[in-house]
Amino acid sequence: FYVMVERDEEKNEFHPVGYFSKEKNCPELFNLACILIFPPHQRKGYGKFIISLSYEISKIEKTVGSPEKPISDLGKLSYRSYWSYILLDLINKNKDASELTLKQMAQQTSIKVEDILSTLQHLKMIKHLKGQFVIHVSRKMVEQELDAFIKRNYAGTFCKPESLRYELHTSDATEPSAKRTKTESKST
């Protein structure tokens, strides 16, 4: 379990606001099993923070991941929004997005190919041609979609990878497991 706390600066106290769990060595590659933000702390971006944290941990572990299924309707909306932003940002940073493969996108984002595919289909940015999927977007389309996220400072509550302390170790050569030494991140 990973517990998230808020710090009360005046009293120098910490108060729990939510948590998430993650199964070690999960064969289905779930990078988040359960997430909960306590009701008084919802709508503060903590869910987004935890989702982004789970993917930053997947990047350190050099794996792709996905939330454990089944996923609630609110969870689907939260993940679809996160995946959309991350994929739009990735496409925007690549000069020729049509050259990106789903596998390359998964390697760069740690998002499972199935989740990338469903998100691009939702965004109407992928076509099925001659038995394979092809990213089909215009630069203007990507910029417009991304601009809506930027205007709301969507990524403002994401985990900052440079602030993350997470130690990976292998218990045997075939199945890496992660040992958490200290996980913290500051959001602005």
Side-chain angles (χ1 to χ4, degrees):
F1 280 92
Y2 298 78
V3 178
M4 186 171 186
V5 296
E6 271 185 345
R7 181 176 179 197
D8 182 334
E9 298 283 337
E10 289 179 17
K11 297 179 182 178
N12 197 26
E13 295 176 344
F14 296 89
H15 306 283
V17 298
Y19 68 86
F20 82 95
S21 62
K22 176 184 182 334
E23 184 181 343
K24 289 183 179 183
N25 302 322
C26 179
E28 294 89 359
L29 300 176
F30 296 140
N31 64 353
L32 193 142
C34 179
I35 182 172
L36 173 74
I37 304 300
F38 301 127
H41 301 287
Q42 293 175 356
R43 312 278 317 150
K44 293 182 179 180
Y46 292 144
K48 218 183 322 178
F49 174 85
I50 288 175
I51 290 170
S52 68
L53 173 62
S54 72
Y55 280 100
E56 291 303 327
I57 290 171
S58 292
K59 288 175 187 176
I60 292 168
E61 294 173 342
K62 295 182 178 21
T63 63
V64 295
S66 187
E68 186 173 327
K69 311 298 187 290
I71 188 168
S72 70
D73 290 341
L74 181 57
K76 284 179 191 173
L77 285 172
S78 299
Y79 271 93
R80 177 67 47 86
S81 181
Y82 174 80
W83 294 330
S84 294
Y85 174 80
I86 295 298
L87 296 174
L88 287 164
D89 189 52
L90 177 66
I91 291 168
N92 191 51
K93 289 177 180 173
N94 279 275
K95 296 198 185 325
D96 191 2
S98 65
E99 295 296 316
L100 275 175
T101 67
L102 295 176
K103 185 177 178 182
Q104 289 170 329
M105 294 175 90
Q107 289 169 337
Q108 291 179 44
T109 64
S110 287
I111 300 171
K112 275 182 95 170
V113 168
E114 294 83 1
D115 297 327
I116 292 171
L117 183 58
S118 72
T119 302
L120 292 176
Q121 287 171 329
H122 175 77
L123 293 169
K124 297 177 178 40
M125 294 185 168
I126 197 159
K127 290 188 175 188
H128 193 257
L129 299 171
K130 299 179 183 177
Q132 60 185 39
F133 292 100
V134 179
I135 297 171
H136 181 74
V137 295
S138 70
R139 182 68 47 198
K140 184 178 179 181
M141 177 194 238
V142 172
E143 289 170 356
Q144 285 176 338
E145 292 281 342
L146 198 52
D147 194 46
F149 283 103
I150 292 167
K151 283 181 181 172
R152 347 189 280 263
N153 191 27
Y154 182 79
T157 57
F158 280 11
C159 169
K160 308 292 187 260
E162 63 277 3
S163 299
L164 182 63
R165 309 286 184 277
Y166 188 84
E167 185 179 312
L168 181 70
H169 72 88
T170 54
S171 54
D172 68 26
T174 59
E175 288 195 318
S177 65
K179 175 184 172 191
R180 179 173 44 103
T181 54
K182 185 176 181 185
T183 304
E184 60 182 47
S185 183
K186 300 173 187 167
S187 60
T188 54

PDB file of all heavy atoms in Angstrom, residues 79-104:
ATOM      1  N   TYR A  79      -8.740   7.517 -15.967  1.00  0.00           N
ATOM      2  CA  TYR A  79      -7.660   6.924 -16.758  1.00  0.00           C
ATOM      3  C   TYR A  79      -7.713   7.393 -18.200  1.00  0.00           C
ATOM      4  O   TYR A  79      -6.684   7.719 -18.781  1.00  0.00           O
ATOM      5  CB  TYR A  79      -7.691   5.391 -16.698  1.00  0.00           C
ATOM      6  CG  TYR A  79      -6.884   4.871 -15.542  1.00  0.00           C
ATOM      7  CD1 TYR A  79      -7.470   4.620 -14.322  1.00  0.00           C
ATOM      8  CD2 TYR A  79      -5.519   4.663 -15.673  1.00  0.00           C
ATOM      9  CE1 TYR A  79      -6.725   4.162 -13.253  1.00  0.00           C
ATOM     10  CE2 TYR A  79      -4.758   4.207 -14.615  1.00  0.00           C
ATOM     11  CZ  TYR A  79      -5.368   3.956 -13.409  1.00  0.00           C
ATOM     12  OH  TYR A  79      -4.613   3.514 -12.362  1.00  0.00           O
ATOM     13  N   ARG A  80      -8.892   7.446 -18.815  1.00  0.00           N
ATOM     14  CA  ARG A  80      -9.004   7.882 -20.209  1.00  0.00           C
ATOM     15  C   ARG A  80      -8.469   9.298 -20.358  1.00  0.00           C
ATOM     16  O   ARG A  80      -7.765   9.623 -21.302  1.00  0.00           O
ATOM     17  CB  ARG A  80     -10.460   7.789 -20.662  1.00  0.00           C
ATOM     18  CG  ARG A  80     -10.752   8.277 -22.069  1.00  0.00           C
ATOM     19  CD  ARG A  80     -10.146   7.443 -23.194  1.00  0.00           C
ATOM     20  NE  ARG A  80     -10.302   6.045 -23.098  1.00  0.00           N
ATOM     21  CZ  ARG A  80     -11.335   5.326 -23.522  1.00  0.00           C
ATOM     22  NH1 ARG A  80     -12.370   5.902 -24.058  1.00  0.00           N
ATOM     23  NH2 ARG A  80     -11.326   4.020 -23.411  1.00  0.00           N
ATOM     24  N   SER A  81      -8.760  10.154 -19.391  1.00  0.00           N
ATOM     25  CA  SER A  81      -8.270  11.525 -19.416  1.00  0.00           C
ATOM     26  C   SER A  81      -6.745  11.552 -19.294  1.00  0.00           C
ATOM     27  O   SER A  81      -6.057  12.236 -20.058  1.00  0.00           O
ATOM     28  CB  SER A  81      -8.918  12.310 -18.270  1.00  0.00           C
ATOM     29  OG  SER A  81      -8.491  13.633 -18.276  1.00  0.00           O
ATOM     30  N   TYR A  82      -6.194  10.773 -18.354  1.00  0.00           N
ATOM     31  CA  TYR A  82      -4.740  10.708 -18.166  1.00  0.00           C
ATOM     32  C   TYR A  82      -4.068  10.181 -19.438  1.00  0.00           C
ATOM     33  O   TYR A  82      -3.117  10.773 -19.939  1.00  0.00           O
ATOM     34  CB  TYR A  82      -4.386   9.820 -16.970  1.00  0.00           C
ATOM     35  CG  TYR A  82      -2.903   9.601 -16.819  1.00  0.00           C
ATOM     36  CD1 TYR A  82      -2.094  10.564 -16.235  1.00  0.00           C
ATOM     37  CD2 TYR A  82      -2.299   8.438 -17.304  1.00  0.00           C
ATOM     38  CE1 TYR A  82      -0.723  10.383 -16.122  1.00  0.00           C
ATOM     39  CE2 TYR A  82      -0.932   8.254 -17.187  1.00  0.00           C
ATOM     40  CZ  TYR A  82      -0.150   9.222 -16.601  1.00  0.00           C
ATOM     41  OH  TYR A  82       1.218   9.037 -16.510  1.00  0.00           O
ATOM     42  N   TRP A  83      -4.566   9.049 -19.944  1.00  0.00           N
ATOM     43  CA  TRP A  83      -3.969   8.462 -21.152  1.00  0.00           C
ATOM     44  C   TRP A  83      -4.054   9.428 -22.326  1.00  0.00           C
ATOM     45  O   TRP A  83      -3.104   9.545 -23.104  1.00  0.00           O
ATOM     46  CB  TRP A  83      -4.658   7.149 -21.515  1.00  0.00           C
ATOM     47  CG  TRP A  83      -4.464   6.034 -20.521  1.00  0.00           C
ATOM     48  CD1 TRP A  83      -3.384   5.824 -19.698  1.00  0.00           C
ATOM     49  CD2 TRP A  83      -5.383   4.981 -20.245  1.00  0.00           C
ATOM     50  NE1 TRP A  83      -3.589   4.706 -18.937  1.00  0.00           N
ATOM     51  CE2 TRP A  83      -4.806   4.157 -19.258  1.00  0.00           C
ATOM     52  CE3 TRP A  83      -6.636   4.648 -20.732  1.00  0.00           C
ATOM     53  CZ2 TRP A  83      -5.437   3.026 -18.759  1.00  0.00           C
ATOM     54  CZ3 TRP A  83      -7.270   3.514 -20.236  1.00  0.00           C
ATOM     55  CH2 TRP A  83      -6.673   2.724 -19.261  1.00  0.00           C
ATOM     56  N   SER A  84      -5.189  10.106 -22.480  1.00  0.00           N
ATOM     57  CA  SER A  84      -5.346  11.059 -23.587  1.00  0.00           C
ATOM     58  C   SER A  84      -4.277  12.139 -23.511  1.00  0.00           C
ATOM     59  O   SER A  84      -3.616  12.438 -24.513  1.00  0.00           O
ATOM     60  CB  SER A  84      -6.735  11.701 -23.560  1.00  0.00           C
ATOM     61  OG  SER A  84      -7.730  10.746 -23.809  1.00  0.00           O
ATOM     62  N   TYR A  85      -4.109  12.724 -22.344  1.00  0.00           N
ATOM     63  CA  TYR A  85      -3.116  13.782 -22.198  1.00  0.00           C
ATOM     64  C   TYR A  85      -1.707  13.266 -22.521  1.00  0.00           C
ATOM     65  O   TYR A  85      -0.965  13.888 -23.288  1.00  0.00           O
ATOM     66  CB  TYR A  85      -3.134  14.377 -20.788  1.00  0.00           C
ATOM     67  CG  TYR A  85      -2.006  15.372 -20.604  1.00  0.00           C
ATOM     68  CD1 TYR A  85      -2.131  16.662 -21.101  1.00  0.00           C
ATOM     69  CD2 TYR A  85      -0.804  14.995 -20.004  1.00  0.00           C
ATOM     70  CE1 TYR A  85      -1.083  17.562 -20.983  1.00  0.00           C
ATOM     71  CE2 TYR A  85       0.237  15.891 -19.885  1.00  0.00           C
ATOM     72  CZ  TYR A  85       0.095  17.172 -20.375  1.00  0.00           C
ATOM     73  OH  TYR A  85       1.134  18.056 -20.280  1.00  0.00           O
ATOM     74  N   ILE A  86      -1.340  12.139 -21.933  1.00  0.00           N
ATOM     75  CA  ILE A  86       0.010  11.592 -22.127  1.00  0.00           C
ATOM     76  C   ILE A  86       0.257  11.269 -23.597  1.00  0.00           C
ATOM     77  O   ILE A  86       1.327  11.579 -24.144  1.00  0.00           O
ATOM     78  CB  ILE A  86       0.219  10.335 -21.239  1.00  0.00           C
ATOM     79  CG1 ILE A  86       0.173  10.706 -19.755  1.00  0.00           C
ATOM     80  CG2 ILE A  86       1.510   9.604 -21.601  1.00  0.00           C
ATOM     81  CD1 ILE A  86       1.249  11.670 -19.288  1.00  0.00           C
ATOM     82  N   LEU A  87      -0.719  10.658 -24.261  1.00  0.00           N
ATOM     83  CA  LEU A  87      -0.536  10.285 -25.672  1.00  0.00           C
ATOM     84  C   LEU A  87      -0.529  11.503 -26.586  1.00  0.00           C
ATOM     85  O   LEU A  87       0.267  11.565 -27.524  1.00  0.00           O
ATOM     86  CB  LEU A  87      -1.613   9.280 -26.090  1.00  0.00           C
ATOM     87  CG  LEU A  87      -1.547   7.945 -25.340  1.00  0.00           C
ATOM     88  CD1 LEU A  87      -2.738   7.069 -25.724  1.00  0.00           C
ATOM     89  CD2 LEU A  87      -0.227   7.228 -25.569  1.00  0.00           C
ATOM     90  N   LEU A  88      -1.390  12.468 -26.319  1.00  0.00           N
ATOM     91  CA  LEU A  88      -1.380  13.702 -27.119  1.00  0.00           C
ATOM     92  C   LEU A  88      -0.045  14.425 -26.979  1.00  0.00           C
ATOM     93  O   LEU A  88       0.520  14.908 -27.963  1.00  0.00           O
ATOM     94  CB  LEU A  88      -2.521  14.627 -26.688  1.00  0.00           C
ATOM     95  CG  LEU A  88      -3.919  14.209 -27.104  1.00  0.00           C
ATOM     96  CD1 LEU A  88      -4.974  14.978 -26.303  1.00  0.00           C
ATOM     97  CD2 LEU A  88      -4.118  14.391 -28.601  1.00  0.00           C
ATOM     98  N   ASP A  89       0.466  14.471 -25.755  1.00  0.00           N
ATOM     99  CA  ASP A  89       1.757  15.113 -25.514  1.00  0.00           C
ATOM    100  C   ASP A  89       2.875  14.375 -26.256  1.00  0.00           C
ATOM    101  O   ASP A  89       3.738  14.998 -26.873  1.00  0.00           O
ATOM    102  CB  ASP A  89       2.031  15.159 -24.009  1.00  0.00           C
ATOM    103  CG  ASP A  89       3.245  15.991 -23.665  1.00  0.00           C
ATOM    104  OD1 ASP A  89       3.317  17.158 -24.112  1.00  0.00           O
ATOM    105  OD2 ASP A  89       4.129  15.478 -22.936  1.00  0.00           O
ATOM    106  N   LEU A  90       2.853  13.055 -26.220  1.00  0.00           N
ATOM    107  CA  LEU A  90       3.858  12.258 -26.922  1.00  0.00           C
ATOM    108  C   LEU A  90       3.776  12.485 -28.434  1.00  0.00           C
ATOM    109  O   LEU A  90       4.802  12.711 -29.085  1.00  0.00           O
ATOM    110  CB  LEU A  90       3.667  10.771 -26.609  1.00  0.00           C
ATOM    111  CG  LEU A  90       4.600   9.797 -27.327  1.00  0.00           C
ATOM    112  CD1 LEU A  90       6.048   9.999 -26.881  1.00  0.00           C
ATOM    113  CD2 LEU A  90       4.159   8.366 -27.094  1.00  0.00           C
ATOM    114  N   ILE A  91       2.578  12.447 -28.979  1.00  0.00           N
ATOM    115  CA  ILE A  91       2.399  12.669 -30.417  1.00  0.00           C
ATOM    116  C   ILE A  91       2.857  14.077 -30.789  1.00  0.00           C
ATOM    117  O   ILE A  91       3.527  14.273 -31.798  1.00  0.00           O
ATOM    118  CB  ILE A  91       0.931  12.428 -30.831  1.00  0.00           C
ATOM    119  CG1 ILE A  91       0.590  10.936 -30.705  1.00  0.00           C
ATOM    120  CG2 ILE A  91       0.672  12.924 -32.252  1.00  0.00           C
ATOM    121  CD1 ILE A  91      -0.893  10.632 -30.799  1.00  0.00           C
ATOM    122  N   ASN A  92       2.519  15.040 -29.966  1.00  0.00           N
ATOM    123  CA  ASN A  92       2.894  16.429 -30.231  1.00  0.00           C
ATOM    124  C   ASN A  92       4.411  16.614 -30.259  1.00  0.00           C
ATOM    125  O   ASN A  92       4.926  17.411 -31.029  1.00  0.00           O
ATOM    126  CB  ASN A  92       2.260  17.352 -29.181  1.00  0.00           C
ATOM    127  CG  ASN A  92       2.396  18.803 -29.542  1.00  0.00           C
ATOM    128  OD1 ASN A  92       2.068  19.219 -30.644  1.00  0.00           O
ATOM    129  ND2 ASN A  92       2.891  19.583 -28.603  1.00  0.00           N
ATOM    130  N   LYS A  93       5.113  15.885 -29.416  1.00  0.00           N
ATOM    131  CA  LYS A  93       6.575  16.010 -29.344  1.00  0.00           C
ATOM    132  C   LYS A  93       7.299  15.271 -30.464  1.00  0.00           C
ATOM    133  O   LYS A  93       8.484  15.498 -30.692  1.00  0.00           O
ATOM    134  CB  LYS A  93       7.074  15.505 -27.991  1.00  0.00           C
ATOM    135  CG  LYS A  93       6.711  16.436 -26.852  1.00  0.00           C
ATOM    136  CD  LYS A  93       7.146  15.885 -25.514  1.00  0.00           C
ATOM    137  CE  LYS A  93       6.770  16.843 -24.404  1.00  0.00           C
ATOM    138  NZ  LYS A  93       7.015  16.274 -23.073  1.00  0.00           N
ATOM    139  N   ASN A  94       6.599  14.388 -31.174  1.00  0.00           N
ATOM    140  CA  ASN A  94       7.199  13.656 -32.290  1.00  0.00           C
ATOM    141  C   ASN A  94       6.874  14.366 -33.593  1.00  0.00           C
ATOM    142  O   ASN A  94       5.705  14.628 -33.885  1.00  0.00           O
ATOM    143  CB  ASN A  94       6.668  12.216 -32.329  1.00  0.00           C
ATOM    144  CG  ASN A  94       7.397  11.344 -31.347  1.00  0.00           C
ATOM    145  OD1 ASN A  94       8.451  10.815 -31.660  1.00  0.00           O
ATOM    146  ND2 ASN A  94       6.847  11.212 -30.151  1.00  0.00           N
ATOM    147  N   LYS A  95       7.893  14.648 -34.359  1.00  0.00           N
ATOM    148  CA  LYS A  95       7.704  15.381 -35.611  1.00  0.00           C
ATOM    149  C   LYS A  95       6.808  14.622 -36.584  1.00  0.00           C
ATOM    150  O   LYS A  95       5.984  15.208 -37.248  1.00  0.00           O
ATOM    151  CB  LYS A  95       9.061  15.680 -36.244  1.00  0.00           C
ATOM    152  CG  LYS A  95       9.913  16.612 -35.393  1.00  0.00           C
ATOM    153  CD  LYS A  95      11.025  17.219 -36.199  1.00  0.00           C
ATOM    154  CE  LYS A  95      11.987  18.059 -35.422  1.00  0.00           C
ATOM    155  NZ  LYS A  95      11.509  18.846 -34.338  1.00  0.00           N
ATOM    156  N   ASP A  96       6.988  13.318 -36.683  1.00  0.00           N
ATOM    157  CA  ASP A  96       6.172  12.518 -37.593  1.00  0.00           C
ATOM    158  C   ASP A  96       5.461  11.429 -36.799  1.00  0.00           C
ATOM    159  O   ASP A  96       5.955  10.320 -36.659  1.00  0.00           O
ATOM    160  CB  ASP A  96       7.039  11.919 -38.698  1.00  0.00           C
ATOM    161  CG  ASP A  96       6.195  11.298 -39.810  1.00  0.00           C
ATOM    162  OD1 ASP A  96       4.946  11.369 -39.731  1.00  0.00           O
ATOM    163  OD2 ASP A  96       6.782  10.746 -40.753  1.00  0.00           O
ATOM    164  N   ALA A  97       4.289  11.774 -36.276  1.00  0.00           N
ATOM    165  CA  ALA A  97       3.531  10.846 -35.437  1.00  0.00           C
ATOM    166  C   ALA A  97       3.140   9.579 -36.184  1.00  0.00           C
ATOM    167  O   ALA A  97       2.984   8.528 -35.573  1.00  0.00           O
ATOM    168  CB  ALA A  97       2.291  11.537 -34.894  1.00  0.00           C
ATOM    169  N   SER A  98       3.004   9.662 -37.503  1.00  0.00           N
ATOM    170  CA  SER A  98       2.619   8.472 -38.264  1.00  0.00           C
ATOM    171  C   SER A  98       3.701   7.398 -38.226  1.00  0.00           C
ATOM    172  O   SER A  98       3.441   6.242 -38.528  1.00  0.00           O
ATOM    173  CB  SER A  98       2.281   8.844 -39.711  1.00  0.00           C
ATOM    174  OG  SER A  98       3.435   9.334 -40.366  1.00  0.00           O
ATOM    175  N   GLU A  99       4.908   7.770 -37.845  1.00  0.00           N
ATOM    176  CA  GLU A  99       6.001   6.800 -37.731  1.00  0.00           C
ATOM    177  C   GLU A  99       6.005   6.089 -36.385  1.00  0.00           C
ATOM    178  O   GLU A  99       6.699   5.101 -36.203  1.00  0.00           O
ATOM    179  CB  GLU A  99       7.356   7.495 -37.951  1.00  0.00           C
ATOM    180  CG  GLU A  99       7.540   8.055 -39.347  1.00  0.00           C
ATOM    181  CD  GLU A  99       7.559   6.975 -40.417  1.00  0.00           C
ATOM    182  OE1 GLU A  99       8.217   5.935 -40.215  1.00  0.00           O
ATOM    183  OE2 GLU A  99       6.904   7.178 -41.454  1.00  0.00           O
ATOM    184  N   LEU A 100       5.246   6.608 -35.407  1.00  0.00           N
ATOM    185  CA  LEU A 100       5.180   5.979 -34.084  1.00  0.00           C
ATOM    186  C   LEU A 100       4.379   4.686 -34.153  1.00  0.00           C
ATOM    187  O   LEU A 100       3.301   4.656 -34.742  1.00  0.00           O
ATOM    188  CB  LEU A 100       4.483   6.900 -33.085  1.00  0.00           C
ATOM    189  CG  LEU A 100       5.286   7.962 -32.384  1.00  0.00           C
ATOM    190  CD1 LEU A 100       4.360   8.841 -31.542  1.00  0.00           C
ATOM    191  CD2 LEU A 100       6.366   7.367 -31.514  1.00  0.00           C
ATOM    192  N   THR A 101       4.878   3.645 -33.539  1.00  0.00           N
ATOM    193  CA  THR A 101       4.115   2.406 -33.436  1.00  0.00           C
ATOM    194  C   THR A 101       3.481   2.346 -32.048  1.00  0.00           C
ATOM    195  O   THR A 101       3.922   3.035 -31.119  1.00  0.00           O
ATOM    196  CB  THR A 101       5.009   1.166 -33.634  1.00  0.00           C
ATOM    197  OG1 THR A 101       5.922   1.073 -32.535  1.00  0.00           O
ATOM    198  CG2 THR A 101       5.768   1.227 -34.958  1.00  0.00           C
ATOM    199  N   LEU A 102       2.459   1.518 -31.902  1.00  0.00           N
ATOM    200  CA  LEU A 102       1.825   1.348 -30.592  1.00  0.00           C
ATOM    201  C   LEU A 102       2.828   0.806 -29.579  1.00  0.00           C
ATOM    202  O   LEU A 102       2.839   1.223 -28.418  1.00  0.00           O
ATOM    203  CB  LEU A 102       0.615   0.417 -30.704  1.00  0.00           C
ATOM    204  CG  LEU A 102      -0.547   0.930 -31.560  1.00  0.00           C
ATOM    205  CD1 LEU A 102      -1.631  -0.123 -31.682  1.00  0.00           C
ATOM    206  CD2 LEU A 102      -1.113   2.219 -31.000  1.00  0.00           C
ATOM    207  N   LYS A 103       3.689  -0.090 -30.038  1.00  0.00           N
ATOM    208  CA  LYS A 103       4.710  -0.658 -29.147  1.00  0.00           C
ATOM    209  C   LYS A 103       5.677   0.429 -28.667  1.00  0.00           C
ATOM    210  O   LYS A 103       6.031   0.480 -27.489  1.00  0.00           O
ATOM    211  CB  LYS A 103       5.472  -1.773 -29.871  1.00  0.00           C
ATOM    212  CG  LYS A 103       6.459  -2.505 -28.993  1.00  0.00           C
ATOM    213  CD  LYS A 103       7.126  -3.654 -29.735  1.00  0.00           C
ATOM    214  CE  LYS A 103       8.145  -4.332 -28.846  1.00  0.00           C
ATOM    215  NZ  LYS A 103       8.831  -5.414 -29.537  1.00  0.00           N
ATOM    216  N   GLN A 104       6.099   1.311 -29.570  1.00  0.00           N
ATOM    217  CA  GLN A 104       6.993   2.411 -29.174  1.00  0.00           C
ATOM    218  C   GLN A 104       6.304   3.342 -28.176  1.00  0.00           C
ATOM    219  O   GLN A 104       6.916   3.793 -27.214  1.00  0.00           O
ATOM    220  CB  GLN A 104       7.425   3.222 -30.404  1.00  0.00           C
ATOM    221  CG  GLN A 104       8.387   2.508 -31.311  1.00  0.00           C
ATOM    222  CD  GLN A 104       8.579   3.250 -32.631  1.00  0.00           C
ATOM    223  OE1 GLN A 104       7.669   3.925 -33.130  1.00  0.00           O
ATOM    224  NE2 GLN A 104       9.777   3.120 -33.195  1.00  0.00           N
TER     225      GLN A 104
END
